[in-house]
Amino acid sequence: MKWLAVLEVRTDHCESWNGFFCLRKGKLCSLMFGLIIMTLVMVSYILTGAKHGLLLIPSPFHYGAFASNPSLMDNESLSDMKDYYQPSKMNISYVKDYPSIKLIIDTITSKIEFITRQRPDLEELRKQEPHMFSVIPNKFLPNSKNPCWYEEYRGNTTTDPYATNSYALYSKRFRIIFDYLRKVFWNHLYHYKDKHYRLRCLPHFYIIGQPKCGTTDLYDRLRLHPDVRFSAIKEPHWWTRKRFGIIRLRDGFHDRYPVEDYLDLFDLAAHQIQSVLQSDAVKERGKRNNIIIGEASASTMWDNNAWIFFYDNSTEGEPPFLIQDFIHAFQPNAKLIIMLRDPVERLYSDYLYFASANKSAEDFHEKVAESLQLFEGCVLDFSLRACVYNNTLNNAMPVRLQVGLYVVYLLDWLTVFNKDQILVLRLEDHASNMRYTMHMVFQFLDLGPLSEKQEALITKSPASNTRRPEDRSLGPMLPTTKAILRDFYRPFNTKLAQVLFDDAFLWKRT
């Protein structure tokens, strides 16, 4: 009732005005109300439009089909690109951002210098790893092709020889292996003058890299050769990670794995070598053991990320010691096998394998762009080598660009090993003619001839560690991502082809 009374009062009040004025006031109120409504609509439209405009502004981390310079596509035409990746149409608005990324790549290219590193001397290495030098001898058994030696064993029959082995303690996967080794350990001790000796061995050869380049397939085929054995664990990662106490890169540091833990991984092979050494043929006829051991950690060639935490006498951010310095100190005659792949395709495969969620060609775009910017920032202040081995940078980059800089690592390995001790293969050649590449490996390792049946078993088995079905469904990278990465890797591939005297390593056509 009070509400109605108020209305009545307002009505009476209005009637007290003359009719013309009331009519004019009503029109004015209507006009004001209409203007307010129009203003609100316009503001809403402008704000909405602005938001859409922000979404349409090309991100510096997105690239679409790049049509202004087809030569960058390694002679791929635009029609080929459309057939290759239809969804790239949605990224056409990002084409104009390519020049900004090209400037980043040009800056990186201008800073590339392949400067030979200085080798540390043996005494410096001894000071860094005194325990390792106390365990591994200077000379190995002359009647064994593989580097082996006898080491006195001071434990008794109740002692578990693998009780403190870090590989056995930290991984359930390896416990079955070590359970078996415990059972047969005492049967393989060598008794001489009331003392017990165990045969210790290092690998004769190392498959040192690179990841996602077919190392697993090479390993699976090579271990089928009757004269080849491998470590009990395919990738011990001891030289690069475990000896520094790195179990998983994301978990930080743990206790360092001593060299004895690494040597334990070769006990299965050592038992077989010992059986040959103690055979009558070797003892009476002066023959030698021809069994060789391999190790296949794909991190060995490139991963020196831990150096900054352990070696403090750095020169301008470059590591004073590298993995190869220590391997060469103990095994100057070691043989090294490297499997490489077009670094552009390697990076995408690496991304698909290691990325955990939200994988897509567009996401790969963004991660490549961000990584290029980070790498550019480093080379503006430091040397190429310092950036390649920079732990902080490598951990910050969303994709591992540095792993594909093959020639930087190869040149550093060539500062300590002779060229004829390193066999460099291409995954593309291995995939197209497996028989030929395996023959190259057998010849390089000086392995004996095989029967037709043995060779067929090695060369005709299906490829190992191929791309997972869920990753294949994502399709290839965007064509412009490929163009960007080809620009980035081109000067490094050019140098690699020069070092190896082989233009196939330009990867103009894979």
Side-chain angles (χ1 to χ4, degrees):
M1 293 298 292
K2 290 181 180 180
W3 181 65
L4 291 174
V6 171
L7 288 178
E8 288 176 359
V9 170
R10 289 181 176 175
T11 303
D12 293 341
H13 182 69
C14 187
E15 287 177 354
S16 67
W17 296 75
N18 62 62
F20 176 77
F21 187 76
C22 284
L23 179 62
R24 187 175 179 181
K25 184 179 179 182
K27 289 184 177 180
L28 182 63
C29 290
S30 298
L31 179 62
M32 292 297 294
F33 181 77
L35 288 173
I36 291 171
I37 295 298
M38 288 181 64
T39 303
L40 290 173
V41 171
M42 290 180 66
V43 169
S44 176
Y45 178 81
I46 291 170
L47 289 175
T48 306
K51 289 179 180 177
H52 287 303
L54 286 173
L55 292 175
L56 293 173
I57 292 173
S59 163
F61 300 139
H62 288 268
Y63 314 93
F66 179 60
S68 62
N69 193 349
S71 65
L72 294 174
M73 307 305 294
D74 288 336
N75 299 320
E76 291 181 79
S77 67
L78 282 176
S79 59
D80 291 336
M81 287 191 287
K82 289 177 182 177
D83 294 336
Y84 187 67
Y85 188 77
Q86 286 294 333
S88 64
K89 293 177 182 177
M90 64 183 288
N91 291 308
I92 290 177
S93 61
Y94 305 132
V95 171
K96 57 188 177 184
D97 292 304
Y98 181 87
S100 64
I101 294 301
K102 188 66 168 67
L103 287 175
I104 291 174
I105 295 171
D106 289 345
T107 300
I108 293 171
T109 301
S110 69
K111 294 292 183 178
I112 294 174
E113 287 186 274
F114 300 104
I115 300 173
T116 304
R117 69 182 287 261
Q118 295 296 316
R119 285 178 55 179
D121 61 42
L122 189 59
E123 286 307 310
E124 290 180 288
L125 297 175
R126 288 181 184 276
K127 290 176 183 177
Q128 293 298 325
E129 299 287 353
H131 178 70
M132 200 189 308
F133 279 90
S134 70
V135 173
I136 302 175
N138 295 325
K139 294 182 180 180
F140 304 117
L141 296 176
N143 56 345
S144 176
K145 182 178 178 180
N146 197 85
C148 298
W149 68 96
Y150 280 106
E151 173 188 280
E152 184 179 353
Y153 181 73
R154 292 183 169 84
N156 54 46
T157 54
T158 61
T159 303
D160 178 1
Y162 305 106
T164 60
N165 186 288
S166 301
Y167 286 100
L169 293 173
Y170 288 113
S171 178
K172 295 179 180 178
R173 290 185 302 147
F174 306 143
R175 288 177 186 172
I176 295 175
I177 296 172
F178 284 100
D179 285 343
Y180 173 78
L181 286 171
R182 288 185 185 94
K183 292 178 182 178
V184 302
F185 180 82
W186 291 98
N187 298 331
H188 292 90
L189 285 181
Y190 178 64
H191 304 280
Y192 181 73
K193 292 184 178 180
D194 297 325
K195 291 184 178 180
H196 300 296
Y197 296 88
R198 65 190 296 187
L199 189 68
R200 287 293 207 179
C201 297
L202 281 167
H204 173 72
F205 70 95
Y206 297 82
I207 300 176
I208 63 174
Q210 289 288 66
K212 309 313 296 176
C213 289
T215 55
T216 298
D217 188 75
L218 179 61
Y219 160 84
D220 283 339
R221 296 181 192 283
L222 194 47
R223 67 178 179 159
L224 295 175
H225 194 286
D227 290 339
V228 175
R229 305 292 184 273
F230 276 93
S231 53
I233 300 166
K234 186 227 170 199
E235 293 191 85
H237 295 297
W238 184 79
W239 291 100
T240 55
R241 299 171 188 171
K242 300 298 189 294
R243 72 185 179 99
F244 296 108
I246 301 173
I247 299 175
R248 295 181 184 86
L249 294 175
R250 64 179 180 271
D251 294 339
F253 292 96
H254 295 258
D255 293 335
R256 299 181 70 173
Y257 287 30
V259 65
E260 291 89 345
D261 290 2
Y262 179 61
L263 296 175
D264 286 347
L265 301 181
F266 305 105
D267 277 2
L268 279 173
H271 295 166
Q272 297 179 51
I273 290 174
Q274 185 177 352
S275 298
V276 174
L277 292 174
Q278 293 178 346
S279 67
D280 293 338
V282 173
K283 289 180 178 178
E284 296 175 6
R285 301 175 193 173
K287 292 185 177 180
R288 69 171 187 162
N289 157 67
N290 286 319
I291 293 176
I292 58 173
I293 304 174
E295 200 253 69
S297 298
S299 64
T300 306
M301 180 178 181
W302 65 274
D303 189 354
N304 281 276
N305 286 329
W307 74 266
I308 197 168
F309 301 104
F310 294 90
Y311 307 140
D312 54 8
N313 57 335
S314 169
T315 303
E316 297 181 353
E318 295 188 9
F321 310 105
L322 296 176
I323 303 304
Q324 51 266 41
D325 298 329
F326 293 98
I327 294 178
H328 183 268
F330 301 115
Q331 298 175 261
N333 298 318
K335 295 202 171 184
L336 311 163
I337 301 175
I338 301 170
M339 182 82 91
L340 301 179
R341 174 187 190 178
D342 180 350
V344 176
E345 297 298 336
R346 193 220 70 81
L347 186 65
Y348 191 51
S349 179
D350 196 64
Y351 162 80
L352 293 176
Y353 186 82
F354 288 106
S356 57
N358 302 319
K359 290 184 284 190
S360 69
E362 290 78 14
D363 181 63
F364 181 61
H365 263 303
E366 296 183 3
K367 287 178 167 53
V368 166
E370 185 179 346
S371 299
L372 284 168
Q373 287 185 317
L374 290 169
F375 196 78
E376 178 200 29
C378 185
V379 296
L380 286 172
D381 296 322
F382 299 97
S383 69
L384 175 62
R385 182 178 291 108
C387 292
V388 166
Y389 296 124
N390 186 307
N391 175 70
T392 303
L393 174 65
N394 293 341
N395 287 336
M397 287 197 294
V399 290
R400 302 193 294 182
L401 285 174
Q402 80 282 6
V403 177
L405 306 181
Y406 307 139
V407 71
V408 179
Y409 304 111
L410 179 60
L411 288 172
D412 283 350
W413 280 84
L414 287 171
T415 61
V416 290
F417 286 97
N418 294 328
K419 203 168 185 178
D420 59 4
Q421 291 177 258
I422 304 176
L423 175 65
V424 184
L425 304 170
R426 293 196 331 148
L427 174 61
E428 294 82 4
D429 299 330
H430 180 65
S432 63
N433 193 342
M434 207 165 291
R435 187 171 181 270
Y436 175 73
T437 58
M438 293 310 299
H439 276 206
M440 289 181 64
V441 173
F442 297 154
Q443 184 177 2
F444 176 70
L445 296 176
D446 193 25
L447 293 170
L450 295 170
S451 66
E452 289 185 11
K453 185 177 180 180
Q454 288 173 323
E455 185 172 300
L457 178 66
I458 292 173
T459 59
K460 293 183 180 180
S461 55
S464 301
N465 204 20
T466 55
R467 185 175 293 182
R468 295 171 295 204
E470 61 269 25
D471 292 338
R472 286 199 296 269
S473 66
L474 294 174
M477 72 183 83
L478 300 176
T480 43
T481 313
K482 181 179 285 190
I484 290 163
L485 289 172
R486 290 231 183 279
D487 281 348
F488 172 67
Y489 285 118
R490 185 175 290 112
F492 299 98
N493 294 343
T494 300
K495 182 66 174 180
L496 179 65
Q498 293 172 355
V499 172
L500 297 175
F501 300 102
D502 189 347
D503 284 347
F505 289 95
L506 294 170
W507 280 286
K508 287 186 175 180
R509 274 294 181 191
T510 55

